[in-house]
């Protein structure tokens, strides 16, 4: 009887997977066509409303583009902007997933053609007795020049900067498809630095140490200031300076329309807004989700200053040998499946530039209406700070941050983790909700495999958000213990 039950479950599971793949193929094939149609719609809308074509990533990468401006070049999946002395974008890496997202139909066709070619080559190599191998050796002995491909969209963006003497293009702030409310545009009056919420002693000489809080994707500093900040003890508030930031493009921080939201841009803004003006010398980092990537990069850059790293749901996917890192991570994060729903939502946000822009247009631009309806339906019981964090960003910021940080740093994370393991002596702690459907628990264990001294705590019955929200008092005590332990071990080491 038990064998029959197991067999039935296996059949149902296989049937479910087949149906999911079949339905997903139909749905995403349709979405490929819809995104292409929306590309044309937005180009027309942008032209009539703003009197210019808005560059998008639908254009195929070109073999070469010659112009007086500087351009983006890419080779073997790594893309960089080079020789841009008039801007801060010099030698910044751009994820190829921005402009290399093949449609589902074309990807299936490519796999089929590749398999047929492989079979043909195998047959030919057997028949020719090694002629192909000899030809390959002959080519390898000759002078082989690297081939670079250049994406026309980024060229358009960069040429726009160069044509006005290095000044940013005069795009309307906000753009017609962005929200124009006071909250979302407050940065336009003073856009030189991030929005920072600070608590604790005034002045670096009065604080024992500092703590930097970095939120995750489509979130804000309120994720920390409305949860753990009020639950810290008076001793902690009088001992540590607490800094919670809105990342570039999110919350009340600047949302420049022409930014590519690269890793360097994010790190530069954090340093410019927090570390330099507040003379931060010794600090702890607490980061959630996407913020964990920035935390690792920041820790490696300021190796001698970081006392502890606390990572919540770090999105670390080890890349198999031979796989292209950016493309592999994009397919892990957004597998183009209709089930589970979180995978469908991630796929919409990651694969479709114009569909995701439409979602931002409907939701983010009209966030005040959605917030009102949410309060009305829930009788004002919903936590509004979560809504503000989710709604208050632009499509340009979310799109580029998702690709350039989550996907674009895929080949860098191993190096960051190795540096933390070998070069940093800071305490490393990882928290993850057992029911997290956004970032699987295995990601935290992957980090621990790279940094054996890292402590991993998996919290039962908690997900990507409730790992903090709902247990903020407990988490505040856990953080205080981490900081106390890190400071004590640091003092003992120095003595």
């Amino acid at each position: 009887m038990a064998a029959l039950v197991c067999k039935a479950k296996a059949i149902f599971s296989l049937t479910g997977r087949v149906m999911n793949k079949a339905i997903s193929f139909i749905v995403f094939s349709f979405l490929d066509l819809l995104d292409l149609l929306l590309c044309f719609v937005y180009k027309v809308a942008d032209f009539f409303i703003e009197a210019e074509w808005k560059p998008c990533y639908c254009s195929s990468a070109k073999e070469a583009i010659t112009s007086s401006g500087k351009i983006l070049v890419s080779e073997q999946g790594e893309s960089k902007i080079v020789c841009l002395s008039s801007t801060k974008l010099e030698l910044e890496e751009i994820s190829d997933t921005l402009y290399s997202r093949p449609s589902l139909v074309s990807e299936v066709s490519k796999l089929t053609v590749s398999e047929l070619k492989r079979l043909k080559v195998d047959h030919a190599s057997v028949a020719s007795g090694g002629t192909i191998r000899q030809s390959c050796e002959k080519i390898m002995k000759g002078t082989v020049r690297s081939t670079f491909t250049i994406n026309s969209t980024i060229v358009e963006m960069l040429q726009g900067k160069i044509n006005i003497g290095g000044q940013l293009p005069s795009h309307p702030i906000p753009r017609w498809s962005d929200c124009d409310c006071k909250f979302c545009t407050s940065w336009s009056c003073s856009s030189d630095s991030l929005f920072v919420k600070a608590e604790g002693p005034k002045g670096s000489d009065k604080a024992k140490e500092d703590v930097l809080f970095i939120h995750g994707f489509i979130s804000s500093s309120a994720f920390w200031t409305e949860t753990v900040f009020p639950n810290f003890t008076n001793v902690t508030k009088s001992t540590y300076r607490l800094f919670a930031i809105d990342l570039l493009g999110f919350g009340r921080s600047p949302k420049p329309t022409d930014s590519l939201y690269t890793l360097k841009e994010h790190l530069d803004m954090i340093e410019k807004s927090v570390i330099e003006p507040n003379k931060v010398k010794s600090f702890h980092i607490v980061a959630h989700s996407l913020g964990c990537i920035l935390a690792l990069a920041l820790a490696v850059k300021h190796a001698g200053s970081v006392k502890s790293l606390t990572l919540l749901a770090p999105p670390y996917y080890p890349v198999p040998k031979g796989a292209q890192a950016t493309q592999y991570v994009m397919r892990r994060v957004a597998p183009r499946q209709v089930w589970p729903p979180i995978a469908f939502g991630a796929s919409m946000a990651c694969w479709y530039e114009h569909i995701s822009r439409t979602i931002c247009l409907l939701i983010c631009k009209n966030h005040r209406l959605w917030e009102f309806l949410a309060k009305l339906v829930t009788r004002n019981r919903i936590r509004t700070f979560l809504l503000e964090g989710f709604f208050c960003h632009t499509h340009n910021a979310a799109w580029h941050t998702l690709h350039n940080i989550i996907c674009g740093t895929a080949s860098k994370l191993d190096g960051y983790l190795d540096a933390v393991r070998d070069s940093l002596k800071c305490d490393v702690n990882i928290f993850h909700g057992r029911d997290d459907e956004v970032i699987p628990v295995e990601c935290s264990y992957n980090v621990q495999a790279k940094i054996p001294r890292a402590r991993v705590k998996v919290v039962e019955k908690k997900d990507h958000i409730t790992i903090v929200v709902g247990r903020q008092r407990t988490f505040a005590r856990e953080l205080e213990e981490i900081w106390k332990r890190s400071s004590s071990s640091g003092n003992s080491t120095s003595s």
Side-chain angles (χ1 to χ4, degrees):
M1 186 66 181
L4 289 175
V5 172
C6 291
K7 189 174 182 179
K9 286 183 179 179
I11 293 173
F12 283 130
S13 178
L14 178 61
T15 304
R17 289 197 298 270
V18 171
M19 289 183 63
N20 189 21
K21 289 185 179 295
I23 296 173
S24 297
F25 180 80
I26 296 171
V27 170
F28 285 100
S29 296
F30 169 76
L31 292 178
D32 287 337
L33 297 175
L34 178 60
D35 198 63
L36 187 62
L37 175 63
L38 288 174
C39 173
F40 174 76
V41 171
Y42 280 118
K43 280 192 178 294
V44 173
D46 290 338
F47 182 77
F48 280 102
I49 297 174
E50 298 181 348
E52 66 172 347
W53 298 108
K54 173 74 168 62
C56 70
Y57 292 97
C58 293
S59 303
S60 60
K62 298 180 180 180
E63 291 267 330
I65 291 181
T66 57
S67 66
S68 58
K70 309 306 177 185
I71 56 179
L72 173 109
V73 296
S74 65
E75 183 180 28
Q76 297 178 350
E78 293 186 358
S79 307
K80 291 184 180 182
I81 298 172
V82 296
C83 302
L84 281 171
S85 57
S86 61
T87 74
K88 295 181 179 180
L89 291 175
E90 189 171 357
L91 294 179
E92 289 189 47
E93 292 198 4
I94 308 296
S95 176
D96 71 297
T97 57
L98 281 167
Y99 52 85
S100 180
R101 290 167 285 107
S103 67
L104 192 59
V105 174
S106 66
E107 199 165 47
V108 171
S109 301
K110 185 178 179 181
L111 288 173
T112 304
V113 171
S114 297
E115 184 64 20
L116 291 174
K117 285 183 177 179
R118 186 186 66 81
L119 293 174
K120 184 177 180 181
V121 168
D122 288 345
H123 177 73
S125 62
V126 172
S128 61
T131 305
I132 294 178
R133 181 170 62 253
Q134 293 172 3
S135 298
C136 291
E137 291 174 355
K138 184 177 179 181
I139 293 173
M140 292 298 290
K141 290 178 181 178
T143 302
V144 181
R145 299 187 63 183
S146 298
T147 303
F148 293 89
T149 58
I150 300 135
N151 179 258
S152 58
T153 301
I154 301 178
V155 173
E156 289 182 54
M157 289 183 175
L158 298 178
Q159 287 175 339
K161 294 181 180 181
I162 294 169
N163 288 341
I164 9 182
Q167 299 298 317
L168 298 181
S170 57
H171 293 309
I173 300 176
R175 306 207 70 164
W176 72 269
S177 54
D178 298 332
C179 179
D180 58 356
C181 75
K182 185 177 180 180
F183 182 88
C184 292
T185 60
S186 58
W187 64 273
S188 59
C189 298
S190 56
S191 59
D192 291 337
S193 62
L194 303 177
F195 172 82
V196 181
K197 175 68 175 178
E199 290 189 11
K202 304 296 182 182
S204 58
D205 54 334
K206 297 180 180 179
K208 179 182 178 182
E209 286 172 343
D210 300 318
V211 186
L212 174 62
F213 291 82
I214 308 176
H215 65 78
F217 187 57
I218 54 175
S219 185
S220 72
S221 58
F223 184 78
W224 308 112
T225 60
E226 297 291 332
T227 55
V228 293
F229 273 38
N231 287 284
F232 286 128
T233 63
N234 291 331
V235 174
T236 296
K237 292 179 180 178
S238 63
T239 305
Y240 299 93
R241 287 191 300 174
L242 311 174
F243 299 101
I245 60 171
D246 285 349
L247 290 174
L248 182 67
F250 299 88
R252 282 173 278 186
S253 283
K255 304 173 181 68
T257 56
D258 62 329
S259 172
L260 295 177
Y261 295 88
T262 61
L263 179 67
K264 185 176 184 299
E265 283 180 293
H266 279 290
L267 294 183
D268 285 348
M269 287 297 283
I270 292 174
E271 292 173 329
K272 179 181 178 181
S273 306
V274 180
I275 295 177
E276 293 172 3
N278 294 286
K279 299 179 180 179
V280 174
K281 296 180 180 179
S282 175
F283 63 104
H284 305 265
I285 304 178
V286 182
H288 177 238
S289 192
L290 173 143
C292 295
I293 298 175
L294 301 176
L296 288 167
L298 198 64
V300 172
K301 192 172 183 180
H302 298 269
S305 302
V306 177
K307 294 297 183 181
S308 74
L309 266 176
T310 302
L311 310 176
L312 288 80
Y316 172 54
Y317 301 89
V319 180
K321 187 176 181 179
Q324 187 175 336
T326 54
Q327 295 291 331
Y328 174 80
V329 170
M330 181 172 68
R331 284 161 174 76
R332 286 297 306 272
V333 173
R336 281 196 291 194
Q337 294 180 356
V338 296
W339 191 265
I342 193 69
F344 181 65
S347 299
M348 295 272 282
C350 199
W351 285 89
Y352 301 106
E353 180 179 3
H354 304 291
I355 291 176
S356 59
R357 185 181 179 185
T358 303
I359 294 172
C360 282
L361 175 63
L362 295 176
I363 295 179
C364 298
K365 186 176 176 64
N366 302 289
H367 69 88
R368 289 163 292 183
L369 172 62
W370 294 111
E371 289 170 6
F372 170 76
L373 292 176
K375 292 177 182 178
L376 184 66
V377 172
T378 63
R379 297 182 181 180
N380 209 31
R381 290 194 299 269
I382 195 167
R383 295 179 180 270
T384 55
F385 70 87
L386 291 177
L387 293 178
E388 288 178 359
F390 182 78
F391 290 138
C392 295
H393 63 273
T394 62
H395 171 256
N396 184 59
W399 175 256
H400 285 94
T401 298
L402 175 62
H403 282 277
N404 283 332
I405 305 302
I406 292 286
C407 302
T409 60
S411 60
K412 294 175 174 288
L413 281 182
D414 283 330
Y416 291 151
L417 294 171
D418 289 342
V420 171
R421 180 193 64 215
D422 301 331
S423 304
L424 277 72
K425 297 181 180 180
C426 65
D427 198 13
V428 181
N429 296 270
I430 306 170
F431 293 83
H432 215 123
R434 177 71 70 183
D435 300 333
D436 194 333
E437 294 184 345
V438 179
I439 306 294
V441 177
E442 68 184 74
C443 288
S444 287
Y445 289 119
N446 291 337
V447 174
Q448 188 184 43
K450 295 286 290 184
I451 310 175
R453 74 174 184 274
R455 299 180 180 91
V456 176
K457 180 174 181 178
V458 177
V459 184
E460 301 295 332
K461 298 180 181 179
K462 298 299 178 182
D463 58 28
H464 199 65
I465 301 299
T466 56
I467 188 65
V468 174
V469 179
R471 63 181 298 271
Q472 50 261 38
R473 181 170 296 180
T474 301
F475 186 57
R477 299 290 85 77
E478 291 169 337
L479 287 176
E480 289 171 338
E481 180 60 31
I482 290 170
W483 302 337
K484 181 180 178 181
R485 183 175 64 241
S486 302
S487 299
S488 299
S489 62
N491 292 334
S492 61
T493 303
S494 59
S495 61

